[in-house]
Amino acid sequence: MTADAGKPAPRGTAPDLFDKFQPLIDQREALLSTGVTDPFNLVMERVESPTVAICNGKRTILLGTYNYMGQTFDPQVLAAGKKALDEFGSGTTGSRVLNGTYQGHRECEEALKRFYGMDHAMVFSTGYQANLGIISTMAGKDDYVILDIDSHASIYDGCALGNAQIVAFRHNDVEALEKRLKRLPAEAGKLVVLEGVYSMLGDTAPLKEMVAVSKAAGAMVLVDEAHSMGFIGEHGRGVAEEQGVLDDVDFVIGTFSKSVGTVGGFCVSNHPKFEILRLVCRPYVFTASLPPSVVATAATSIDLLRGAKDKRDHLWANSKRLHGGLKQLGFTLGTETPQSAIIAVIMPDLERGAAMWEALLQEGLYVNLARPPATPAGMTLLRCSLCALHSEEQVGEILGMFEAAGKRVGVI
Amino acid sequence: MTDRDERKDAINRLVADFNKKGIEVSEDTRFAQDLEWDSLTVMDFVAAVEDEFDIIITMNRAAEIETVGQLIDAVGELKGEA
């Protein structure tokens, strides 16, 4: 080996690995040159409550968080976190399998089992890792994963990590799913992956029909209920509960970063062999476990969500009013009817979407600007996520802000 | 007419349905670069090919198919006719 080994290749002989990002760099620079605030770099300087923060020195109503049930400032949740921080320290420093399973992790899994009425629960460090881990571990090289084309990136990444054969079908199309299932080899392992609520448009899946055709084909079913937990279904167990098919679902995946109000991910299941996953699931084994304060806040919050019917009712009322109000103002929405806490306002293009986002921020309202490739069909949209703690007055304020900003930008 | 010719005719017919820009198509035509199809169009086209031939083209397999000619041969393999 010569002394030159390890030095970068001389200029001009190898491509700059950043070249592939140039179109995105150009698009971002063009957008920012119009003078808009960077929509992907907003800093909340102070958070006053689940619905209000100070952004750029201004009081801003938050309509772009996933804090659907407003749990982030619940006094019981905060007290549980502080107690665990004092008693167990700031972090576990290790993996669940070796040195990172604390009493709090077990209690959190017990809370999940109570919440879903299921036999097994496994807590991951994020929701992303829960999908990555379960899908890649369950579906190996000769198995098939059948997924909705609009599936979340964590689902696609779980497929890529596991080397399974991947079959996509058109969004929410039961017939397309059934047709593909029937063409797969009868003897092959099959995992159908669905989501309860699709986060970009806020639409729900026809799980009743989809689970039925999947089971008829001998497939196992995984449903990601990240955006429905706590809110949809009589006990807040999600779209599968609401449509009466929770018992037929093999795996429910969820997150603590939305309705639960902290960070983390999980999988619950009734499968009798489920516990073996703790030894074979790489995104569970090879990562640090959640800090004790986080699992303590999660466990407390999950128990509180079970009895949160009043909050669920209020959130549905907010969703119906905002959806109806925006429609009446002349905005184009992602769904005909309110189906979840997410209301997507479709923008004509990225430029006007960014201008509208900026105008809303000036009015004192924060929403998410979403654009391809995160969105389906090349759409640019403003994604509004309601919280159970938005007051009636705030929903009225939000509609007023949309009207003012929409007229100023020329979207309505 | 061979099996391959029949497959080629059927696939050309399906390509024409999705070729909104009227780009001239040969066996060397590439779906992404030449026909400029986005991912949604590709998915709808793949579904149409699957329905026509009653086969499954997995995303793993589709990623290896760049041209019309490669698709004609891949469909043959999947139908066991190659």
Side-chain angles (χ1 to χ4, degrees):
Chain A
M1 188 178 278
T2 69
D4 286 340
K7 282 189 179 172
R11 272 177 180 274
T13 59
D16 184 332
L17 295 175
F18 279 80
D19 284 351
K20 55 183 166 289
F21 307 124
Q22 198 56 47
L24 191 59
I25 291 169
D26 293 343
Q27 189 193 40
R28 185 169 179 274
E29 281 173 359
L31 187 66
L32 294 183
S33 71
T34 64
V36 300
T37 309
D38 185 349
F40 307 109
N41 200 24
L42 183 94
V43 176
M44 295 181 198
E45 293 141 15
R46 200 165 74 238
V47 179
E48 298 195 336
S49 75
T51 62
V52 173
I54 306 299
C55 305
N56 302 340
K58 187 181 168 70
R59 177 187 176 273
T60 304
I61 296 181
L62 300 176
L63 194 65
T65 74
Y66 300 132
N67 200 353
Y68 302 126
M69 297 296 278
Q71 296 288 84
T72 50
F73 281 84
D74 182 278
Q76 291 183 66
V77 170
L78 295 188
K82 285 172 186 165
K83 186 167 179 283
L85 195 58
D86 286 341
E87 291 178 1
F88 288 90
S90 56
T92 63
T93 75
S95 155
R96 286 292 303 277
V97 182
L98 289 177
N99 43 23
T101 292
Y102 284 25
Q103 182 62 20
H105 295 94
R106 286 282 162 77
E107 285 168 5
C108 190
E109 285 168 350
E110 290 303 318
L112 282 165
K113 282 151 71 174
R114 282 194 293 276
F115 185 84
Y116 283 98
M118 291 210 186
D119 297 337
H120 304 279
M122 195 166 153
V123 167
F124 288 80
S125 296
T126 63
Y128 174 88
Q129 282 174 301
N131 269 330
L132 197 68
I134 297 295
I135 295 169
S136 65
T137 309
M138 293 309 303
K141 187 171 170 293
D142 297 319
D143 300 322
Y144 286 84
V145 178
I146 306 94
L147 52 77
D148 188 294
I149 192 80
D150 285 355
S151 293
H152 189 259
S154 57
I155 292 172
Y156 278 103
D157 292 355
C159 293
L161 190 67
N163 291 322
Q165 299 297 310
I166 311 303
V167 177
F169 64 90
R170 185 172 251 281
H171 178 55
N172 274 351
D173 188 334
V174 181
E175 196 189 331
L177 167 63
E178 187 174 27
K179 217 185 295 181
R180 270 145 200 87
L181 281 166
K182 282 184 173 163
R183 289 186 193 135
L184 295 177
E187 68 282 4
K190 306 172 190 81
L191 177 67
V192 173
V193 179
L194 306 166
E195 293 182 44
V197 171
Y198 286 84
S199 68
M200 282 299 145
L201 297 180
D203 55 330
T204 56
L207 288 185
K208 190 177 177 186
E209 293 79 8
M210 289 185 150
V211 172
V213 299
S214 302
K215 289 280 136 182
M220 294 180 97
V221 179
L222 179 154
V223 179
D224 182 330
E225 295 273 18
H227 290 274
S228 54
M229 181 188 183
F231 172 43
I232 296 180
E234 193 188 344
H235 303 97
R237 291 171 183 162
V239 178
E241 180 192 34
E242 188 183 53
Q243 297 186 15
V245 291
L246 188 57
D247 288 345
D248 294 326
V249 172
D250 296 277
F251 306 101
V252 173
I253 297 280
T255 177
F256 297 156
S257 64
K258 298 180 171 57
S259 289
V260 177
T262 177
V263 66
F266 66 87
C267 177
V268 292
S269 173
N270 280 327
H271 197 288
K273 298 177 186 170
F274 184 80
E275 293 298 322
I276 195 63
L277 290 176
R278 292 188 200 274
L279 297 183
V280 294
C281 179
R282 294 170 66 86
Y284 178 87
V285 175
F286 294 103
T287 198
S289 67
L290 288 169
S293 54
V294 167
V295 278
T297 56
T300 307
S301 181
I302 290 162
D303 277 339
L304 289 171
L305 288 177
R306 284 164 67 211
K309 185 175 181 310
D310 289 351
K311 273 188 171 183
R312 284 191 267 283
D313 291 346
H314 180 65
L315 184 48
W316 270 121
N318 280 351
S319 174
K320 284 170 188 163
R321 179 156 168 236
L322 184 63
H323 190 283
L326 288 171
K327 218 170 156 178
Q328 208 168 17
L329 286 171
F331 287 101
T332 306
L333 304 184
T335 56
E336 259 312 293
T337 54
Q339 296 184 16
S340 66
I342 300 167
I343 293 166
V345 185
I346 312 292
M347 293 289 112
D349 48 52
L350 179 60
E351 288 68 30
R352 273 178 287 181
M356 182 72 187
W357 181 87
E358 174 94 4
L360 286 171
L361 197 63
Q362 283 165 5
E363 291 286 327
L365 183 66
Y366 172 67
V367 298
N368 308 137
L369 176 66
R371 46 145 212 181
T375 52
M379 280 188 278
T380 295
L381 53 89
L382 298 176
R383 188 173 51 167
C384 306
S385 310
L386 279 156
C387 173
L389 297 189
H390 280 122
S391 65
E392 278 184 44
E393 293 72 34
Q394 281 177 321
V395 178
E397 261 189 276
I398 290 166
L399 284 168
M401 290 166 167
F402 259 98
E403 183 172 15
K407 284 181 176 161
R408 188 139 47 94
V409 175
V411 177
I412 52 170
Chain B
M1 197 180 224
T2 65
D3 287 348
R4 192 179 190 283
D5 291 336
E6 282 176 24
R7 285 200 304 276
K8 184 177 173 178
D9 281 354
I11 286 170
N12 280 336
R13 209 171 52 242
L14 292 171
V15 170
D17 290 345
F18 288 85
N19 185 9
K20 302 295 180 206
K21 293 185 178 169
I23 291 160
E24 197 176 328
V25 176
S26 73
E27 285 208 22
D28 294 329
T29 302
R30 296 168 301 175
F31 295 104
Q33 296 95 326
D34 299 332
L35 294 174
E36 298 173 25
W37 287 354
D38 58 29
S39 59
L40 204 64
T41 307
V42 168
M43 190 206 60
D44 282 342
F45 173 71
V46 168
V49 174
E50 287 179 327
D51 289 348
E52 173 78 20
F53 294 98
D54 194 23
I55 53 172
I56 284 275
I57 303 175
T58 65
M59 289 178 85
N60 323 46
R61 187 70 192 252
E64 294 166 0
I65 301 169
E66 287 184 7
T67 67
V68 172
Q70 287 170 353
L71 178 64
I72 296 166
D73 292 330
V75 168
E77 280 174 40
L78 289 165
K79 283 195 75 68
E81 291 174 358

